[in-house]
Amino acid sequence: MTDVIVSESNSGSSNLFQIDDNWKKLTGKGVSVAIIDSGIDVEHPDLHGKIKESVEAQRENKRIVFEPSETGDSAGHGTACAGIIAKIAPDAQLHSVKVLGAGGIGDGQTFLAGLEYSIKKRYRVINLSLGTTKPQFFAPLHDLLDRAYQAGCIVVAAANNLPQPSFPSVFSSSLISVIKSAETDPYNFGFHYGEIIELTAPGVNVRTPWLGKGYRNLTGNSFACPHIAGIIALLLEAYPDLTPFQVKSALYAIAKENQENPARQTNI
Amino acid sequence: MSATNENNLQIKLQSLIETIDVANVLTEPITNSIENLLRISAAAMNSEEASVLIRDGDQGDLRFLSAIGKVAGKILNLKVPAGKGIAGFVLSSGQPMAVANVGDESFFYDEVDKSTGYSTQTILATPLRYNDEIIGVLEYVNRIGDPPFEPFTPAEMDSAALFAEAISTLVHAYGSTKLFQELDNKIIKNKNETDYTEVRRWLETLRDSAEHREMMDLAILLREVSSRGDGERQLCRELLESILRFSDTKTETSLLSF
């Protein structure tokens, strides 16, 4: 049973979904979220005890395999993304899938392997605050994203802010792509149907955990993406059976409501 | 011309080429243009320092190729190890990033600041791409005037991406020119033992079109075969002429296609 109500509309302009605000009070408990990135500093006070698993890419002959990782975060980026998710969904199970700076490798192939690993593990939410513009990865990424969609994994990807399109953020059907806005309230995200990158979320001067138990104020689409990953973790706790399609529709409905009724905005 | 005269001319030519500053004569106009673009873009970005880092080797290390600002002279050729610093991350992730308060916390890859005596407080880093490959990083550091500095804005991040597009074309040209310059040096110094592996590696990075790449590869192959000796050169010519004669007999489509 799900509480998401599909309402018939005669006017053609009302919400497809009506969701009460109870999900905002949840914590993402029991929802697995993979962060495919530079690793996570598990000792950071904001993340202590929240990282269920840390693996990192290793090259074994010609294959890329994932082994338990104790190397933490090599750049700070993964820690920042994890911190944003943990702030919104403090009880979500975070899984660090290290593909950048792992064992001296960090190419597109490793990135793809990380995504495949996360789909095989069927993590409910997969945060991809990175991408590639190499055309040779277009087809394999498209295939992986379709597999994620069919497996019920919700992939959230950051756009790249650059003149060239980056993959997978430009694949609109099989994933949720995010671009930064100057908004500070994570619940007050936007949805721009018809745009290549559909969602906007806070990504300007976001205070995030960083290496050395520190914090940074960061700007970039990389930091907008985990806001939406966190929101999805809450929605999935409230409505565990939501499919990727339904999650996207729910985000659309909530964003529309935000736009029409700004008084609903909440600060955390 | 007698053989002795020919030899003398060759020796003179060789020493003449060696006296020219071959290390810089080809690349200098390109690095000057990069520097000019850095200067113009830094003014537009209201930034005090700007620099271009390029890949150094195959392992993701970076090296400062060009810089403008107070510590530009000290920063040139400094290296940033793979994955270190904001530039290292931008190179490996392909995501641009701005950090407002770099100096606030204990952890920061501060080797560059230590070497230059400079204090990085706010930074914007964006990848340099050429033909879908990330070939380096463009950085803008601090603001013109006195601290505290305003963080870089999203609009400036978009502008930086456009500057990066212009600069990356020059950085790519710099890489190609440097390679040919180095090959030229090797040929002058050791003309009988040319190593073609570097040329092949460079060709692999060319992604203009598959056909173009194949043509270039064929040209390199011909050059390599020709360099082996008169016999090889003659055999190669005869083989190619045979292929042409065979192909000429087929008017419509090539029978060699399958």
Side-chain angles (χ1 to χ4, degrees):
Chain A
M1 193 189 112
T2 169
D3 292 326
V4 177
I5 300 162
V6 182
S7 67
E8 294 294 332
S9 162
N10 294 327
S11 69
S13 65
S14 73
N15 296 332
L16 285 173
F17 280 77
Q18 289 178 347
I19 299 168
D20 61 40
D21 279 353
N22 285 335
W23 63 273
K24 287 186 180 175
K25 297 171 192 152
L26 300 178
T27 57
K29 194 171 183 181
V31 180
S32 54
V33 183
I35 296 148
I36 301 177
D37 216 289
S38 57
I40 297 174
D41 178 5
V42 296
E43 298 300 324
H44 195 285
D46 285 18
L47 294 166
H48 199 67
K50 296 184 193 299
I51 315 300
K52 193 168 168 67
E53 177 203 29
S54 291
V55 294
E56 96 176 73
Q58 299 286 348
R59 213 173 271 280
E60 200 179 87
N61 298 321
K62 286 185 175 174
R63 285 170 58 239
I64 295 168
V65 294
F66 286 84
E67 304 284 352
S69 170
E70 286 174 9
T71 57
D73 185 349
S74 50
H77 192 265
T79 301
C81 293
I84 293 167
I85 297 169
K87 195 172 178 189
I88 297 169
D91 292 328
Q93 295 170 2
L94 304 184
H95 297 259
S96 172
V97 181
K98 184 170 177 173
V99 297
L100 295 175
I105 49 175
D107 54 12
Q109 212 62 47
T110 322
F111 162 46
L112 255 68
L115 182 57
E116 189 175 18
Y117 172 85
S118 303
I119 297 165
K120 277 186 181 161
K121 288 274 188 174
R122 290 189 179 251
Y123 296 133
R124 286 308 315 275
V125 188
I126 299 172
N127 187 87
L128 274 179
S129 284
L130 42 110
T132 176
T133 52
K134 293 183 184 176
Q136 65 265 40
F137 293 121
F138 181 97
L141 260 176
H142 210 288
D143 177 51
L144 273 177
L145 264 297
D146 280 350
R147 277 169 56 190
Y149 188 85
Q150 284 150 12
C153 305
I154 295 140
V155 182
V156 194
N160 77 350
N161 253 104
L162 298 168
Q164 305 96 321
S166 79
F167 315 122
S169 69
V170 296
F171 303 156
S172 47
S173 59
S174 49
L175 88 166
I176 289 161
S177 51
V178 192
I179 197 164
K180 67 183 181 305
S181 75
E183 176 61 55
T184 53
D185 177 359
Y187 294 114
N188 196 29
F189 54 87
F191 198 113
H192 304 277
Y193 180 70
E195 301 279 330
I196 292 174
I197 309 298
E198 290 175 312
L199 274 118
T200 58
V204 178
N205 267 325
V206 183
R207 185 170 166 81
T208 67
W210 196 253
L211 301 183
K213 298 181 180 175
Y215 294 87
R216 288 277 183 279
N217 284 6
L218 304 171
T219 297
N221 293 333
S222 292
F223 315 108
C225 180
H227 279 96
I228 297 298
I231 295 284
I232 294 171
L234 303 187
L235 281 169
L236 287 176
E237 186 190 352
Y239 311 109
D241 299 328
L242 289 185
T243 65
F245 169 76
Q246 287 171 318
V247 166
K248 209 173 194 180
S249 304
L251 290 171
Y252 175 72
I254 295 164
K256 204 164 170 9
E257 189 75 25
N258 284 341
Q259 202 182 350
E260 286 167 3
N261 188 9
R264 280 160 50 99
Q265 290 176 24
T266 318
N267 285 309
I268 60 164
Chain B
M1 195 184 279
S2 72
T4 323
N5 278 347
E6 206 171 287
N7 273 346
N8 283 343
L9 181 66
Q10 197 177 340
I11 291 163
K12 276 184 186 171
L13 199 63
Q14 201 163 324
S15 69
L16 181 69
I17 292 168
E18 278 167 5
T19 53
I20 300 171
D21 183 10
V22 281
N24 290 316
V25 76
L26 295 173
T27 50
E28 205 173 80
I30 302 175
T31 47
N32 283 347
S33 299
I34 294 172
E35 202 177 304
N36 287 338
L37 263 173
L38 274 184
R39 194 165 287 114
I40 294 163
S41 63
M45 300 277 292
N46 186 29
S47 174
E48 188 174 55
E49 306 273 329
S51 51
V52 166
L53 296 98
I54 58 168
R55 278 185 186 275
D56 190 49
D58 299 334
Q59 300 300 313
D61 295 346
L62 285 163
R63 165 173 80 81
F64 283 92
L65 170 70
S66 182
I68 59 119
K70 285 178 191 165
V71 292
K74 292 181 184 171
I75 223 170
L76 283 183
N77 291 320
L78 279 183
K79 292 184 178 182
V80 176
K84 291 284 180 189
I86 288 146
F89 179 77
V90 167
L91 182 83
S92 56
S93 73
Q95 289 286 353
M97 184 168 158
V99 186
N101 48 347
V102 173
D104 277 7
E105 306 295 339
S106 56
F107 190 94
F108 168 60
Y109 182 73
D110 56 359
E111 292 304 315
V112 176
D113 277 8
K114 275 184 192 164
S115 303
T116 59
Y118 191 73
S119 170
T120 299
Q121 295 190 20
T122 186
I123 189 168
L124 189 164
T126 198
L128 292 168
R129 290 173 201 265
Y130 188 84
N131 280 350
D132 312 311
E133 297 284 342
I134 299 178
I135 57 172
V137 176
L138 170 64
E139 282 191 343
Y140 295 96
V141 175
N142 292 355
R143 298 295 199 170
I144 297 164
D146 296 320
F149 300 123
E150 283 294 308
F152 287 99
T153 65
E156 284 170 331
M157 199 173 239
D158 294 343
S159 302
L162 295 175
F163 289 127
E165 211 176 354
I167 290 172
S168 63
T169 312
L170 286 171
V171 170
H172 175 74
Y174 169 85
S176 305
T177 311
K178 196 154 173 57
L179 174 78
F180 280 114
Q181 191 174 281
E182 282 164 5
L183 280 171
D184 224 28
N185 282 345
K186 282 181 190 166
I187 289 165
I188 290 167
K189 284 180 188 149
N190 202 356
K191 63 183 183 133
N192 293 325
E193 289 176 28
T194 310
D195 182 5
Y196 290 94
T197 49
E198 280 184 63
V199 186
R200 286 228 166 82
R201 195 186 299 166
W202 176 74
L203 280 172
E204 279 165 16
T205 67
L206 283 180
R207 301 203 180 277
D208 295 337
S209 76
E211 193 187 6
H212 177 70
R213 207 156 66 234
E214 276 172 22
M215 292 295 285
M216 292 289 280
D217 215 14
L218 194 59
I220 295 290
L221 189 67
L222 275 177
R223 170 102 196 248
E224 195 174 344
V225 172
S226 305
S227 71
R228 298 281 168 95
D230 289 345
E232 282 83 353
R233 204 156 39 235
Q234 185 62 28
L235 183 63
C236 188
R237 179 186 289 273
E238 282 171 13
L239 275 171
L240 289 174
E241 282 171 353
S242 302
I243 294 169
L244 266 185
R245 278 197 301 276
F246 178 74
S247 184
D248 282 345
T249 60
K250 317 293 160 198
T251 47
E252 291 296 316
T253 51
S254 168
L255 273 190
L256 288 175
S257 58
F258 45 86

